[in-house]
Structures are given as structure tokens and as C-alpha cells.
Amino acid sequence: MSHHSLLARLRASADRLQPQLVTWRRHLHAHPELSFAEEDTQVFITERLREMGLVPIALAGTGVVALIGGDATKPCVALRADMDALPIQEAPGRAYGSLVGGVMHACGHDVHMTCALGAAHLLAAFADELPAPVKMLFQPGEELLPGGATEMIAAGALRQPTVAAIAGLHVAPDLPVGTLGTRSGPYMASADEVYLTLRGPGGHGALPHKTVDLVAAAAQLIVSLQQVVSRKAPAGVPTVLSFGRIETVGGATNILPTELRIAGTFRTYEEEWRSSAHAWIERISRATVEGLGGEVDVDIRRGYPALCNDEACTAIVREGLVSAFGPDRVGELDLRPTAEDFAWYLQEIPGTFFRLGTANAARGITAGVHTPSFDVDEACLSVGALAMAVAAVELGHRHCA
């Protein structure tokens, strides 16, 4: 079977798979599990892969790996899907809504798993015709630092056989259903957590001259730290420093607290600047708070690195998607300052991370990820399954040859 014939057969098979994909997705959506606790999800995925004639292996606790086209002596291509849900209470009214209180697939990982299962089903039917073996990676814990990708890598997911290139997709509620998006080079930001703890003697709010006003110090500190973005960041390197939580220990309307905690996020795209920014955050914090008479502890927890798509892999996958879906359905993505632990794989091997449109404004399906109302137009499922299968075939044909 020729390469072009294989792609045509995959396209023809994807549409027929749509009803099964809906069933799988609705089961996964109704039974979400939190990061590194995806036991039932692991069982479900394992059973589906076995039904395809594959031999799934548990990895990194609740992860699953399966090889299609099982020649372990040849370099392979990997397709990755994340498995975990979020601690969010889903909005009511859906027949397939979460059956687990306070837990929801609000980031589309149920869709990612379904598309990967669909791709595995499509590719397994033509295992003997694949240009390179394809390793399916179902990864736990994407939503929780240090990220399940680190555990999969440490457990050997990229070895035996060696993974030469990797691809993954993510839902995009800002793109219309049926469309896809790619971007070469820097795409998603690094993400670090910033925790600042201010301390002082506290005292009566009517007598601030006799104590240290940590609330006023915190207000000045938050404003001062924006200098990191506006005056210290190199030109051309997008940078975000945002604080989402401020809380006092003690304090009241007329009592100045003895302790105040600030928590935020720092995001950027360049590693050398990332480290320099951490030093600036600490330096400005100490100078500001100590200058007002208080003390401050600075705790910056490094999160996921910036996600940088390999130019060659992205070009290969984009060309395949355009061939499969047409140029009008494959767009160019903008920089996105959210983070993804898929970046860890790209620190090890070349690959690409692309987007799957899931929105349908006419049906009111437009809510963003990480919200209780998030949902997808399920017509995206066969598109995503085919897109992942095409990515594997194209990378195998042109990157592993």
C-alpha cells in the first residue's frame, strides 16, 4: 500500500469511527479522576487498546503505553494524550456530565484520550503498512507539578523502542469545530509559582507608626514587581507576572496582621531570562518589604518549561493536516502564555503540539477551559483522531525514514 493510499484509507475510516468515539468520550467525561489517581481511567484505556489487538503496559503509576507496528528495533513515533481531570464542579444539565462531585474534565483531557484511542484504532488496522512503529502514550498528572510527563520520561516512555519524534494535540475552544491550528517554534510559556510571605510585628490599625503595615507593604510590592515585566524583561520576550491570591494571618478592620501571603504566577518563553527574572523578583521583594520595616520570604517554584515546537516536525505535520483536511481548516496559532507539560518531551526529542477546534457558537459551545461550563462539539472527535493518525504517519514517513 502506498503512503498516499494509506492516508486515504485512514480518512475513510475516521468518519465511520465517530459513533464509537462519542461513546468513549462520554464515558471518560462522566468518570473523571484527579492527577496521579487515574486508576479507573487506566483500566478503561487498557481494555480498549486490548480490543484493538494491542499489548498495553502500565507505566508511571497510572499511565499506559502501547506499541503499534511492534518492531522494537526501529525508531518510532509517539502520540501523547493526558488523562487527568480538574477539581471543578461541572455545570448541571448534561446527560453525560461528571458523576464525581467536584471533579470535571474541564480541560478536555477526555477528548485528548478519545482522539488518541481513535488514532490507535485507525493505525492498528494498518499496522503492517506504517512507515514506522507508533507508540501511544497515555500520561497521568498533566495538571499537577512536576507534571506526569517527567514521570513517563523517567520510567522509559521514550525508550524501547527509541522515540524519534512526538506529537500531541489540545482542545481549542476559541477555534471552530472541524479546524486545526499549528505553530512552529516557541508556542506556550514556562510557568512558575511565586509565593511571598511578609512578616511584621502587627498592631493596632489606629497606630500604624508603632508597627509595620504589611497590607500597605504588599500593595507597594505588587506594584513594584511589575517593573520585572515593564523594565527588566528583554524586548521581544513576552512575560507575565500575575498575583491571584492575597491572604492575611490575623488582622481585622482595625488590626494590622503579623503575616501576609501573596501567591502568583510567572510566565515567559526564554530560559536565561526566566532565571534572571526569578532573581529580580527576589531582589525587588526584599528591597521593598525590608525598606518598609518588614521581612519577606520568597519561594519561587519552577514549573513547566516553555513549549517550543520543532520546526521540521511542525512543517511535516502541518503539511499532512493540510493534505487531509484542506488549507482552509488548518490555521496558524498565536503565542499562548498558558503552560503544558508536553514541553518536557520536547526538551528530550523533537516534536510538535497542535490544537483541535471544539467550538460551536450556534450551539452555545464557547466556554473556555478550566471553567464549569466547558464542553466541546463532539464532531471534533473524528477530526482529532484522524489528525493524530496523520501526524504519526507523516512523522514516521519523513522523520523516521
Side-chain angles (χ1 to χ4, degrees):
M1 184 184 296
S2 71
H3 174 66
H4 293 296
S5 175
L6 174 58
L7 293 176
R9 296 281 295 279
L10 289 172
R11 285 194 296 267
S13 299
D15 288 341
R16 294 194 296 270
L17 193 58
Q18 174 67 11
Q20 181 64 77
L21 296 175
V22 171
T23 299
W24 288 342
R25 184 259 168 167
R26 293 189 175 190
H27 173 88
L28 290 166
H29 189 85
H31 300 86
E33 295 176 297
L34 293 174
S35 302
F36 302 108
E38 305 94 339
E39 288 91 355
D40 291 342
T41 304
Q42 182 186 52
V43 170
F44 180 84
I45 290 170
T46 297
E47 290 175 348
R48 302 293 79 74
L49 293 172
R50 284 177 178 158
E51 290 168 357
M52 300 172 198
L54 304 178
V55 183
I57 299 171
L59 197 71
T62 49
V64 182
V65 173
L67 188 65
I68 304 170
D71 185 349
T73 66
K74 295 178 60 177
C76 69
V77 173
L79 295 176
R80 174 270 202 172
D82 38 14
M83 302 164 64
D84 52 331
L86 287 161
I88 292 176
Q89 179 63 46
E90 184 166 8
R94 296 170 187 160
Y96 49 87
S98 173
L99 299 176
V100 183
V103 183
M104 175 192 174
H105 271 299
C107 200
H109 296 186
D110 54 332
V111 174
H112 305 166
M113 289 184 284
T114 299
C115 291
L117 284 172
H121 186 279
L122 295 172
L123 295 168
F126 304 104
D128 294 338
E129 307 294 334
L130 297 177
V134 179
K135 187 182 290 189
M136 306 301 303
L137 306 182
F138 292 87
Q139 174 213 300
E142 190 277 328
E143 298 285 357
L144 190 66
L145 292 179
T150 61
E151 307 222 355
M152 293 286 281
I153 293 167
L158 303 182
R159 304 190 302 270
Q160 297 180 331
T162 299
V163 177
I166 189 168
L169 61 70
H170 198 293
V171 296
D174 53 343
L175 295 180
V177 65
T179 65
L180 299 148
T182 67
R183 184 181 180 88
S184 183
Y187 173 41
M188 299 179 74
S190 59
D192 302 317
E193 297 178 352
V194 180
Y195 298 94
L196 309 173
T197 303
L198 286 63
R199 296 186 177 88
H204 200 296
L207 304 169
H209 59 290
K210 293 187 175 183
T211 184
V212 176
D213 186 346
L214 296 183
V215 175
Q220 186 162 325
L221 175 57
I222 290 171
V223 173
S224 297
L225 284 172
Q226 291 309 311
Q227 293 278 323
V228 175
V229 177
S230 66
R231 288 296 178 266
K232 303 303 180 184
V237 181
T239 303
V240 174
L241 177 59
S242 296
F243 293 99
R245 188 173 76 237
I246 303 175
E247 58 186 0
T248 61
V249 177
T253 58
N254 65 340
I255 301 173
L256 302 180
T258 58
E259 185 172 305
L260 184 147
R261 299 168 186 163
I262 306 172
T265 183
F266 175 77
R267 297 165 185 251
T268 191
Y269 293 85
E270 200 276 320
E271 285 298 314
E272 184 176 353
W273 158 237
R274 182 187 186 189
S275 296
S276 295
H278 291 182
W280 274 113
I281 291 170
E282 181 162 359
R283 182 177 178 181
I284 292 172
S285 296
R286 295 198 184 284
T288 302
V289 178
E290 291 174 4
L292 294 171
E295 299 177 353
V296 61
D297 292 334
V298 180
D299 179 14
I300 301 176
R301 302 176 191 175
R302 292 179 75 91
Y304 307 153
L307 189 155
C308 186
N309 282 326
D310 179 77
E311 292 185 6
C313 289
T314 303
I316 289 168
V317 170
R318 181 180 179 86
E319 184 178 328
L321 296 178
V322 168
S323 177
F325 297 99
D328 294 340
R329 293 174 61 184
V330 184
E332 178 74 9
L333 297 168
D334 295 328
L335 276 176
R336 184 179 177 90
T338 54
E340 236 286 348
D341 85 339
F342 190 84
W344 290 118
Y345 297 111
L346 298 181
Q347 298 276 304
E348 304 287 330
I349 56 173
T352 192
F353 194 64
F354 59 97
R355 293 274 166 173
L356 171 67
T358 61
N360 187 329
R363 295 178 53 198
I365 303 175
T366 58
V369 295
H370 290 225
T371 68
S373 299
F374 175 72
D375 202 0
V376 303
D377 184 329
E378 290 175 320
C380 72
L381 299 175
S382 59
V383 176
L386 177 58
M388 294 189 84
V390 167
V393 170
E394 293 291 356
L395 286 173
H397 179 65
R398 296 175 57 185
H399 196 83
C400 296

